[in-house]
Amino acid sequence: MNCLECRELLQRRLDGESIPAQTVEPHLSQCPDCREQHAAAQQLLDALKHDPTPEPSADFAKKMTSLIVEDRDERHDKLRRRVWLTLALAASVIVGLILAYYWIPRPTATENKPNPTIVDNSKKDIPPAPKLDRPKEAPTRVDVPSPLAKLTDRWVDTTRDHAKVLTAVAPLDAVPLPEFPMNPAVRDAGQEVSDGVRSVMRNARRAFDFFARELPMPDLAGEKN
Amino acid sequence: MSAEDANLVRRCLKGEESAIQALVERFQPDVFGLCVRLLHHRHDAEDVTQEVFLRIFRSLKKWDSTRPLRPWIVSIAINRCRTWMTQRSKLPETADYLQESAASPPTDDGAELVREIRDALVELRWEYRSVFVMYHERGMPYEEIAEAIEKPIGTVKTWLHRARLEILDRLRRRGMISEVEHELP
Ligand SMILES: [Zn+2]
């Protein structure tokens, strides 16, 4: 027997196999290295036998059971909540789709009207709006019987009437400005603010005109009838 | 045993608290024993044992009833311990931890030898350590260990043999072998 075979037998003994002493004895008596290893193995087995594994506290199983039940209930609740939330979301999406189907008006094919301009763009400082190719089937405002359109019409009319009355009663040029002694620097600053505001207003007006051109117009002839 | 385990699991899945407690009582020596030996720390072992049982019951539905239950449970415990060790290795060790993890001072040669074996165990590669603990501490046969770690039996044997040799070498290096004995049981 050589050292390798002796170690193989040592492993088998450590596995719990019964090896006759006379099989290893001749080699162990000659080989101090293997002898020491076999002795160490014996002491290892003895030590493991005399050192039982610690156990958890006496009430561990009971505490663990309540923890497991608690955890299970919590997970069930969470799952239930998630299912309800998913169902509620799905239901609201379906209701939304149904409402959208019945409420959103669908455009009807009507005669296409030319797009009249809202403002007089013959003035030099307002460039004419770029001509855009309008789709032939574009709906006019008449086709969209929106309360918003009617409301806007009413506001426009009212504002125009008020302006007419005001300019007739007191033309802006005729309104005298109060004569106070004023610091010239402050007066210049006021003038600059006024110029600035005017230019902002002009640009705002241009921008508005540009977009207003594209708004559909009411069927004026129809309204008169 | 397998039919008994399957029946116990079925009752647990139905929500029977008595079955849950029975399953915990049945496997707590294995789970806690593995945790305490692998982590070398009683307090950590209790925490990890709790986590392991929670995981076991969360995934009990996934257990294949045609396979033995014990290796399945042991595999969860081993994996959890390994994760815990990885997380712990990232934390700075506190004085409190070292104090608790150290074994009680030896009172005689036998206790000193035990402490030496435990220290040797901690220094082993994870695979060697877990196989050694499963075999020598929990008395699991090779087949169950192979099932638990999902490796061939040959690999389990190789790892176990290497683990033993490393521990024996350490004991010899440290002069723990008192006298030469020839006889093995
Ligand atoms: Zn030899």
Side-chain angles (χ1 to χ4, degrees), chain B residues 152-164:
Chain B
I153 291 179
T155 307
V156 175
K157 275 189 180 171
T158 306
W159 287 354
L160 181 64
H161 290 189
R162 286 182 189 162
R164 286 167 177 167

Side-chain angles (χ1 to χ4, degrees), chain A residues 141 146-159 208 215:
Chain A
R141 203 173 70 188
S146 155
L148 183 65
K150 284 182 182 163
L151 191 65
T152 314
D153 282 349
R154 212 162 58 221
W155 281 345
V156 170
D157 291 345
T158 313
T159 312
F208 178 79
L215 286 175

Side-chain angles (χ1 to χ4, degrees), chain A residues 87-110:
Chain A
L87 286 177
L89 276 174
S92 55
V93 167
I94 289 167
V95 168
L97 287 174
I98 292 169
L99 290 180
Y101 180 79
Y102 285 109
W103 280 9
I104 291 181
R106 270 147 288 173
T108 52
T110 54

Side-chain angles (χ1 to χ4, degrees), chain A residues 11 13-15 25 33 35-38 40 42-43 51 53-55 60 64-65 68 71-72, chain B residues 15 21 28 37 42 50 57-58 114 118 135 142 161 164-165 172 176-178 180 182 184-185:
Chain A
Q11 293 286 2
R13 276 190 159 168
L14 284 168
D15 280 349
E25 199 60 43
D33 196 43
R35 197 161 59 232
E36 199 185 19
Q37 201 168 33
H38 274 250
Q42 182 59 53
Q43 288 187 22
D51 182 37
T53 312
E55 296 205 348
F60 178 82
M64 195 66 237
T65 305
I68 290 162
D71 181 66
R72 182 195 61 193
Chain B
Q21 189 164 335
Q28 74 179 19
R37 287 300 183 226
R42 195 189 160 91
Q50 274 192 10
F57 279 89
R58 280 174 195 168
V114 166
R118 299 280 160 245
Y135 190 90
Y142 283 127
H161 290 189
R164 286 167 177 167
L165 290 179
R172 289 165 67 192
M176 299 304 296
I177 311 307
S178 52
V180 173
H182 295 184
L184 284 172

